[in-house]
Amino acid sequence: MRNKNLILNYVFLSCVIVLFVNDHFFKFQYTSWFTGKLSDAVGIILLPMLMTFAFPKLKENSVFASGLFFVFWKSPFSENFIKMYNAISPIDIHRVIDYSDLMVLLLLPIPYFLIKNDHIFENFVIRKIHAAVVLFPTVFVLMSTSQSNGYTYSPETGKLAFRDFNFEMKKTESDLLKKLDEQHIKVVKDTVQILQSLRYEISAMGKFDQDAITKGGDIFKVDNAVLRKRIEERI
């Protein structure tokens, strides 16, 4: 039987709140060594409790499972898993390989003690809400990233991609491209993304011929010259 007190206690809830606020605000407003490690610290405390709630038979063993997973996550061995996941998921996940992050493993005795003595939660839990109300936001917080909607950055590949993002610089285009070239930074347009953003506009430029479905011929007709001009304007 699942013990909902494991995720409805104030320690767990505080860790979730700190994790969310740190990843989406503190890391950018107060960038420092402390904010860089804070998410790992609260994450390593809440993860064993979350695992024990999801898999009650693990009990205190969830602490060791969490430690092993954290080591795997912070190692190069997780890179292929991350790439595979990001290829099929609408929400990308990322991590930075920094072996100094492993120092938070020293905090594992905290969740071990809390799980082994879960009766102490009786005095500081929220009893009037369903566990699912906390469970699903927690999973989202653990998986969510703090990237801007205007760009995405993949630490694994070093790729920085902008989407519908505007900014001003006191340089001409040629000067800027020259400066980037001097820094060995290659600038390319994501033509796939551009064409995808034009799909509705393209559909409005042409028309469907229903008779062609049975009689043969082009089902969708569009003026190729006009279409080419519009695409060239964007690319």
Side-chain angles (χ1 to χ4, degrees):
M1 182 176 179
R2 290 188 175 88
N3 182 1
K4 66 178 184 179
N5 290 348
L6 287 167
I7 63 172
L8 295 182
N9 64 81
Y10 295 124
V11 174
F12 184 90
L13 295 173
S14 297
C15 287
V16 174
I17 293 172
V18 171
L19 180 62
F20 178 79
V21 175
N22 188 61
D23 277 351
H24 295 269
F25 179 73
F26 289 155
K27 281 186 177 180
F28 299 98
Q29 298 298 322
Y30 308 102
T31 304
S32 66
W33 178 90
F34 177 76
T35 55
K37 305 301 180 188
L38 182 58
S39 292
D40 291 330
V42 296
I44 204 66
I45 293 174
L46 70 84
L47 183 58
M49 290 190 283
L50 178 63
M51 291 184 66
T52 304
F53 171 78
F55 308 102
K57 291 184 178 180
L58 282 176
K59 296 184 179 180
E60 303 94 275
N61 291 327
S62 64
V63 174
F64 304 106
S66 298
L68 290 174
F69 175 78
F70 188 80
V71 172
F72 167 77
W73 180 253
K74 290 294 182 177
S75 73
F77 297 107
S78 63
E79 186 169 341
N80 289 333
F81 167 78
I82 293 173
K83 289 181 179 179
M84 181 177 64
Y85 175 86
N86 288 342
I88 60 176
S89 172
I91 303 177
D92 285 0
I93 56 176
H94 304 288
R95 61 88 178 84
V96 177
I97 298 177
D98 183 353
Y99 293 115
S100 67
D101 292 340
L102 298 180
M103 69 174 63
V104 302
L105 294 175
L106 296 173
L107 298 175
L108 283 175
I110 296 176
Y112 182 88
F113 173 80
L114 293 174
I115 294 170
K116 191 174 182 64
N117 302 278
D118 57 0
H119 61 275
I120 64 177
F121 291 139
E122 293 292 336
N123 298 320
F124 54 102
V125 295
I126 301 177
R127 303 180 185 279
K128 296 183 179 181
I129 62 174
H130 195 277
V133 176
V134 173
L135 177 62
F136 292 110
T138 299
V139 174
F140 175 78
V141 169
L142 286 171
M143 296 178 62
S144 66
T145 60
S146 51
Q147 299 185 58
S148 164
N149 290 328
Y151 69 92
T152 57
Y153 173 68
S154 173
E156 287 75 31
T157 63
K159 181 180 179 181
L160 179 65
F162 291 93
R163 295 193 301 271
D164 299 325
F165 190 78
N166 299 315
F167 53 89
E168 295 183 1
M169 299 187 69
K170 295 181 179 180
K171 288 182 179 293
T172 64
E173 181 178 349
S174 59
D175 289 339
L176 178 59
L177 292 175
K178 181 179 179 181
K179 189 68 176 178
L180 292 173
D181 184 63
E182 291 174 355
Q183 300 295 322
H184 305 291
I185 299 175
K186 184 179 180 181
V187 179
V188 294
K189 287 187 177 181
D190 189 345
T191 54
V192 174
Q193 177 68 27
I194 293 174
L195 291 175
Q196 186 177 10
S197 67
L198 287 172
R199 63 186 184 278
Y200 297 114
E201 186 176 338
I202 293 173
S203 64
M205 293 170 61
K207 63 179 181 179
F208 288 95
D209 185 353
Q210 295 184 359
D211 294 335
I213 297 176
T214 56
K215 297 180 180 180
D218 295 331
I219 297 175
F220 181 76
K221 297 180 180 180
V222 63
D223 189 326
N224 287 327
V226 176
L227 177 60
R228 181 183 297 276
K229 181 180 179 181
R230 182 67 185 111
I231 293 175
E232 288 176 347
E233 289 175 353
R234 290 295 301 272
I235 296 179

